[in-house]
C-alpha cells in the first residue's frame, strides 16, 4: 500500500523524482553509463540510489547531464563542462530569486502608496 497522502501519479510531474535507471538515462541522452558516472565524480549530478544500490536519475538531472554533454561534444573538457553547467545553474537560480524579490518589492511599494 502506498503511503497516505502520496500518490504514485504525483511522482510523474515531479522533476526531482529519480525515475530513470542509469541504463535508461544513458540511452535517453545518447551517451554511456561511464559518462554519467564521470558527471557524478565531478559532482555535477548526484544520483539517488535504489534500495538495491542502483543509481537513479531525475528529469532535472538528465537536463543538467544533457547540457554537459552538449559542451563536451563541442570540445570542452568534462571538468570545465561540469563547472560551466554549475555556474549556469547558479546564475539561473540567482535570477529567479532576484525576480521574486523585485516582485515582492513592487507589491510592498504599491501597498504603501495606496
Amino acid at each position: 500500500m502506498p503511503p497516505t497522502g502520496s500518490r504514485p501519479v504525483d511522482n510523474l510531474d515531479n522533476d526531482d523524482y529519480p525515475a530513470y535507471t542509469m541504463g535508461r538515462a544513458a540511452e535517453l541522452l545518447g551517451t554511456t553509463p561511464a559518462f554519467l558516472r564521470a558527471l557524478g565524480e565531478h559532482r555535477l549530478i548526484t544520483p539517488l540510489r535504489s534500495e538495491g544500490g542502483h543509481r537513479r536519475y531525475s528529469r532535472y538531472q538528465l537536463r543538467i547531464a544533457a547540457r554537459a554533454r552538449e559542451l563536451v561534444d563541442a570540445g570542452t573538457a568534462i571538468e570545465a563542462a561540469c563547472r560551466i553547467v554549475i555556474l549556469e545553474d547558479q546564475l539561473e537560480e540567482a535570477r529567479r530569486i532576484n525576480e521574486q524579490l523585485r516582485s515582492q518589492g513592487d507589491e510592498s511599494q504599491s501597498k504603501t502608496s495606496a
Side-chain angles (χ1 to χ4, degrees), residues 28-68:
L28 288 170
L29 294 171
T31 190
T32 64
F35 179 77
L36 291 172
R37 282 191 294 276
L39 296 181
E41 290 168 12
H42 293 292
R43 295 192 173 104
L44 179 62
I45 55 176
T46 304
L48 291 165
R49 299 282 182 152
S50 68
E51 289 181 18
H54 300 283
R55 290 174 178 90
R56 305 284 295 192
Y57 296 90
S58 68
R59 286 187 300 198
Y60 173 75
Q61 290 172 322
L62 293 185
R63 283 195 300 273
I64 295 291
R67 175 65 180 132

Side-chain angles (χ1 to χ4, degrees), residues 2 11-12 28 40 68 79 85 89 95 100 103:
N11 292 333
L12 295 176
L28 288 170
E79 300 87 10
V85 173
D89 199 46
R95 286 179 173 159
Q100 283 179 337
S103 295

